[in-house]
Amino acid sequence: MLLLLPGHLQKINLKEKEDNIVLNLKYLIFLLIIFSIFIYSYSREFTEPDELKYVEISREMLEAKNFLYPIYNYELYLDKGPLYFYILIFSQKIFGENKFSYIFPSQFFSVLTLIIFFKILKLFEIKKNEIFLSILVLFSSIQFHFLSKAVRMDIVLTFFVIFSYYLLFLKILKDKKNLELLYGLSFAFALLTKGPVSFIWFWAVPLFYGIIEKEKKVFKFLFHPLNLFFSFLPVLFWLFLLYNKLGLEPFKEIFQRQTLGRMHSSFAHKRPIYYYIYMLPLSFFPYTFFLPFPLFKKEKFKGESFFFLWFLIPFIIFSLISGKISIYLLPLSFPLSLYISKFLLSKKIKIKVTISTISILFIVFGFFIYKNSVKYTEIFPYIKNIEFLFLWISLTFLLFFFKNNYFPYLFSIFSLIFCIFLSVIFYPLTYNISLKETSLKYKCLSKNDKFGYSFWDIKPSFLYYSKKKFIELHKNEELEEKLKEGKFILIKGKNFDKLPKELKKLCEINFKQERLGEDFLIISIPSQRQNEH
């Protein structure tokens, strides 16, 4: 029947048929993404320093029954707000203290972001095939994929950000009522998660959009009394309780060191102003080489100015702030995913295939380097000839690219498989670089001691696995004194090598762990030598 139609009608019907095939696979795409987030998520150790630090904070808060403020090493810790630790504690209460209870919250909020991002794109009347591809691109970008199953608060903050944008445009585009309370609470929860940096997402981006588009509804919504009330009431209430318990000291830490200090001259993660120019593309691999091309698009779409400002405003502000990490820009993955999906669905097939080939060659080349630099067969012995496996997969997909019109989806599915495979390859390394073995050995040796001792460098592993408060020693005299008292001391190999010869002669190395980059020792003075001394 199709053969009887004119040529241009045949093309239209073929295009509709292909689009229908893609749309019929939409639930399969969702299931594939969710599967990718959960598969192989728990076959690893928690990583230093942040994952184990957050795990330890929630454990200590639960142990001490202190739910007002975070504590780390049994002392006040105000680098982050308390909300994420409440979520971890709640998860522990449900599932017990295990890997699942710590990782699951990020996976749960990742699925929620998938749903809300889908709703936002529908709200802006983005084409259905672009919606599904945008979601696939988002979850197959390397940073977003791995943070979706990491013990970090960034996915939680990201959920609050995109949920607030959904509420904002429900008000602007659909004139929905009584959304101000939810927007205010989302902002309050973001503040209690990541602090004042939330102002950039919740106020700077919408205000710039309102000014440029001359959209009065934005200002009425943001400055609505109900929104303002619920934006700040939970935070002010928490600060009041904090003041009531600890006085003014925490406020100096929160506002002077953590807020102004990180903005002007950061004590941590201090980077140059151009840091995100090269780091953002790396964190969006394997779509890195696609990033410049959406800038040259001609097609206009509803909400384009907002998506552009969603990317531009935070990028500029975060570049000006002294403290920088690539994950700070995680919410930018959403507009980038939309722009890339639009480009991938464009007619520029030669450019797309060329860039895809380059991306795949980088992947294959990366595994060649990995094989030659790490004895991966010892870490994960049943994977053989990994470079040929990826080369075969790459060539198979390239044949599909040239042969039919499902290129964008195939490349994104390949990217998702690549992220899953990275988990399979690199998660076993976490056992090799973990300090769990050293920490458990220290716990066994010092079981009669109330405190643990480390010569510099108290690692979160020491706290979590030994369940002790640690005292950090900084001077050789302090170290010698504790050794004479019969204490076991954790020390880096390079720091042990720098000790005076007389002190080293007194010491016995009770345990040594060799790991990538640095060694850790447990030292003491044998009782016989203590008596002689």
Side-chain angles (χ1 to χ4, degrees):
M1 184 69 182
L2 190 62
L3 295 173
L4 300 176
L5 294 172
H8 69 283
L9 290 179
Q10 287 187 31
K11 289 180 180 178
I12 291 171
N13 283 332
L14 283 171
K15 183 70 170 64
E16 287 178 354
K17 185 179 178 182
E18 288 175 359
D19 287 345
N20 287 333
I21 290 172
V22 170
L23 295 178
N24 289 334
L25 292 174
K26 60 184 179 181
Y27 297 112
L28 184 60
I29 290 172
F30 285 155
L31 289 174
L32 182 63
I33 290 169
I34 293 170
F35 174 76
S36 74
I37 295 171
F38 283 88
I39 187 174
Y40 208 71
S41 300
Y42 313 106
S43 300
R44 65 183 181 93
E45 288 292 350
F46 297 125
T47 56
E48 299 268 11
D50 292 328
E51 279 197 319
L52 265 167
K53 181 178 282 188
Y54 298 155
V55 163
E56 174 62 11
I57 289 169
S58 65
R59 189 199 67 78
E60 287 184 23
M61 290 174 70
L62 194 56
E63 179 189 297
K65 294 186 168 69
N66 171 37
F67 306 112
L68 177 57
Y69 51 83
I71 52 174
Y72 176 66
N73 200 13
Y74 299 93
E75 296 177 357
L76 180 67
Y77 178 88
L78 291 175
D79 282 31
K80 303 290 186 290
L83 183 62
Y84 180 64
F85 306 114
Y86 297 156
I87 293 170
L88 292 182
I89 289 169
F90 181 71
S91 185
Q92 285 179 72
K93 285 290 187 180
I94 297 174
F95 303 112
E97 188 182 340
N98 52 58
K99 289 179 187 176
F100 180 83
S101 68
Y102 291 118
I103 297 172
F104 178 72
S106 290
Q107 295 169 320
F108 175 74
F109 280 98
S110 295
V111 175
L112 289 183
T113 60
L114 183 155
I115 296 167
I116 300 301
F117 188 40
F118 173 80
K119 288 181 172 293
I120 287 176
L121 295 178
K122 281 193 70 176
L123 200 59
F124 282 108
E125 299 174 2
I126 304 298
K127 297 173 185 176
K128 288 183 178 180
N129 56 346
E130 292 176 351
I131 291 176
F132 301 123
L133 185 57
S134 297
I135 292 170
L136 193 52
V137 169
L138 174 70
F139 280 85
S140 57
S141 60
I142 191 166
Q143 181 171 265
F144 199 95
H145 181 88
F146 276 90
L147 286 177
S148 294
K149 43 191 177 185
V151 186
R152 292 199 65 101
M153 59 192 63
D154 304 274
I155 286 288
V156 178
L157 173 68
T158 299
F159 166 74
F160 291 134
V161 170
I162 68 159
F163 182 62
S164 70
Y165 291 166
Y166 177 59
L167 295 173
L168 176 65
F169 282 96
L170 272 179
K171 179 66 178 179
I172 294 171
L173 301 177
K174 302 293 184 181
D175 202 27
K176 295 286 185 179
K177 306 296 182 184
N178 305 318
L179 300 176
E180 293 83 4
L181 184 150
L182 285 175
Y183 190 92
L185 285 177
S186 296
F187 177 52
F189 293 155
L191 281 173
L192 290 171
T193 301
K194 200 83 173 180
V197 72
S198 305
F199 277 95
I200 298 170
W201 303 108
F202 285 80
W203 286 84
V205 174
L207 284 175
F208 271 97
Y209 172 75
I211 292 168
I212 290 172
E213 291 294 316
K214 299 178 181 178
E215 181 59 77
K216 294 181 181 179
K217 286 183 179 180
V218 173
F219 303 105
K220 289 181 180 178
F221 185 77
L222 289 178
F223 294 102
H224 191 282
L226 204 59
N227 179 24
L228 294 173
F229 181 78
F230 283 99
S231 288
F232 299 104
L233 180 66
V235 180
L236 291 173
F237 181 67
W238 178 69
L239 291 174
F240 171 75
L241 293 177
L242 204 60
Y243 169 76
N244 213 30
K245 181 83 173 179
L246 301 173
L248 289 172
E249 188 61 31
F251 291 82
K252 183 179 179 182
E253 172 71 15
I254 293 171
F255 295 108
Q256 183 175 324
R257 188 168 183 264
Q258 296 297 335
T259 304
L260 296 176
R262 284 181 183 267
M263 289 175 64
H264 178 258
S265 182
S266 181
F267 59 89
H269 314 304
K270 193 171 183 177
R271 317 280 188 190
I273 194 170
Y274 53 83
Y275 172 76
Y276 290 120
I277 294 175
Y278 65 84
M279 188 51 66
L280 184 63
L282 290 176
S283 65
F284 215 71
F285 190 81
Y287 300 97
T288 302
F289 303 106
F290 289 101
L291 289 174
F293 290 91
L295 297 174
F296 305 105
K297 64 178 182 57
K298 296 179 181 179
E299 179 194 357
K300 300 291 182 182
F301 61 93
K302 188 174 182 179
E304 181 178 15
S305 61
F306 178 75
F307 281 99
F308 180 69
L309 291 170
W310 183 349
F311 172 81
L312 183 65
I313 300 304
F315 185 86
I316 292 172
I317 296 176
F318 277 104
S319 294
L320 296 174
I321 292 173
S322 175
K324 299 178 182 71
I325 313 180
S326 63
I327 56 176
Y328 289 172
L329 296 186
L330 187 65
L332 297 192
S333 302
F334 295 87
L336 285 177
S337 298
L338 176 60
Y339 284 128
I340 287 175
S341 71
K342 283 183 168 290
F343 174 73
L344 288 173
L345 290 167
S346 68
K347 296 178 181 179
K348 299 175 181 178
I349 186 68
K350 289 183 180 179
I351 297 175
K352 293 187 295 185
V353 170
T354 303
I355 298 170
S356 302
T357 306
I358 293 170
S359 301
I360 291 170
L361 288 174
F362 261 82
I363 291 172
V364 175
F365 182 66
F367 277 101
F368 267 110
I369 295 174
Y370 177 68
K371 182 197 172 184
N372 293 328
S373 62
V374 179
K375 294 181 180 179
Y376 68 89
T377 51
E378 294 178 8
I379 298 166
F380 214 56
Y382 54 85
I383 292 180
K384 305 287 186 181
N385 299 321
I386 195 168
E387 68 276 14
F388 295 110
L389 173 63
F390 262 84
L391 188 60
W392 176 80
I393 292 173
S394 304
L395 290 173
T396 304
F397 274 91
L398 279 174
L399 289 173
F400 276 110
F401 296 162
F402 286 113
K403 196 170 183 180
N404 62 54
N405 297 320
Y406 303 132
F407 156 76
Y409 301 94
L410 289 170
F411 181 78
S412 293
I413 290 170
F414 173 78
S415 301
L416 197 61
I417 293 169
F418 166 66
C419 288
I420 294 170
F421 215 77
L422 271 186
S423 302
V424 174
I425 295 298
F426 289 110
Y427 276 174
L429 281 174
T430 60
Y431 292 97
N432 290 55
I433 62 177
S434 168
L435 287 169
K436 180 179 180 179
E437 187 180 0
T438 300
S439 304
L440 290 175
K441 183 67 176 178
Y442 186 86
K443 180 182 180 181
C444 180
L445 290 171
S446 63
K447 58 185 177 182
N448 297 323
D449 295 336
K450 183 179 179 182
F451 300 109
Y453 298 90
S454 176
F455 189 67
W456 296 95
D457 300 304
I458 295 177
K459 300 292 186 181
S461 297
F462 303 161
L463 308 175
Y464 179 67
Y465 293 112
S466 70
K467 305 295 190 286
K468 294 177 183 289
K469 176 180 172 60
F470 263 73
I471 296 172
E472 190 171 278
L473 309 174
H474 298 137
K475 297 179 180 179
N476 292 343
E477 293 79 12
E478 294 175 325
L479 174 64
E480 186 175 358
E481 181 184 343
K482 291 302 175 186
L483 286 169
K484 289 176 182 177
E485 291 176 9
K487 306 299 182 185
F488 292 91
I489 312 293
L490 282 158
I491 185 170
K492 274 186 181 179
K494 64 180 183 181
N495 289 336
F496 180 76
D497 293 337
K498 294 176 183 177
L499 294 178
K501 291 182 180 179
E502 296 77 14
L503 183 55
K504 284 169 69 174
K505 286 179 181 178
L506 291 174
C507 296
E508 178 181 60
I509 298 176
N510 303 98
F511 183 81
K512 180 178 181 180
Q513 179 180 350
E514 297 180 0
R515 68 173 204 165
L516 298 177
E518 56 187 4
D519 301 335
F520 275 86
L521 315 174
I522 301 175
I523 61 173
S524 67
I525 296 180
S527 55
Q528 185 180 358
R529 292 184 186 175
Q530 287 182 51
N531 294 333
E532 287 175 1
H533 189 83

